[in-house]
Amino acid sequence: MNFHVPSPPTKSAAEPARWAVWAAHLTTLVVLPSGLWRIAMVLGFPAGYTTAGFVPFETLGSKAWMLTLSVLCELVAFLTIGLVRPWGEVIPRWIPLIGGLRVRPMAAIVPAALGAVALTALWANVPWWWTYPHADMTPTGHLLVGVLYQPMVLWGPLTAAVTISYYRRHRAAQRLASTT
């Protein structure tokens, strides 16, 4: 049951550019390989670790953490799609209490921009994966994990590009609304 009055209709932002839609959807795909790798480990597959190296990942706490991390990464990446979809402008009605409310552009832009910066910084060292020693992994596992994590480097820049597109579309819509 919603206890608010929906926002009056206003001029919506322009449709997102095709490249921005592709980039937003791509964010969910760049986190997928590493997430599937972690899920394989949750299911008991050593996924490139030596027998001794895999032991710390066999605890319930480690499995819960790897599964949670995989799901959270995918959900956060999925939020980027909101920057190119209608639910990034108006909260879906099925969400209790706030459904139907307009999303203030800055309420989407600021967290998305901060997230893009954080993700870029977090994954910036992944291209150098192979220069770090990983004694608890097999040589093939070391190669495999490096390849599976390389797409993560794109997550921050893709999010930044989609965020800039969202900002520009909404800024243009705001200017248009203020001139009429």
Side-chain angles (χ1 to χ4, degrees), residues 37-47 49 54 57 63 66:
W37 173 74
R38 285 188 298 271
I39 289 171
M41 291 178 48
V42 168
L43 297 174
F45 184 71
Y49 279 94
F54 187 65
F57 299 103
K63 289 177 185 242
M66 288 186 294

Side-chain angles (χ1 to χ4, degrees), residues 83-110:
L83 298 173
V84 296
R85 302 295 300 155
W87 52 271
E89 293 183 21
V90 178
I91 299 170
R93 291 208 173 276
W94 58 266
I95 296 180
L97 302 176
I98 61 172
L101 291 176
R102 279 208 160 277
V103 175
R104 292 178 184 242
M106 293 311 280
I109 293 165
V110 170

Side-chain angles (χ1 to χ4, degrees), residues 76 110-125 152-157 159-160:
V76 169
V110 170
L114 292 174
V117 169
L119 290 167
T120 300
L122 179 66
W123 299 110
N125 68 340
M152 297 293 271
V153 173
L154 300 173
W155 191 5
T159 302

Side-chain angles (χ1 to χ4, degrees), residues 3 6 20 30 34 40 46-47 52 64 68 73 75 88 107-108 131-132 138 140-142 169:
F3 298 103
V30 299
S34 60
T68 301
C73 284
L75 287 173
T131 65
Y132 304 128
T138 67
T140 303
H142 185 249
R169 288 185 304 114

Side-chain angles (χ1 to χ4, degrees), residues 11 13 105 167-179:
K11 176 70 178 144
Y167 169 75
R168 287 180 176 166
R169 288 185 304 114
H170 285 81
R171 183 182 64 182
Q174 187 177 25
R175 284 182 183 161
L176 181 64
S178 68
T179 60

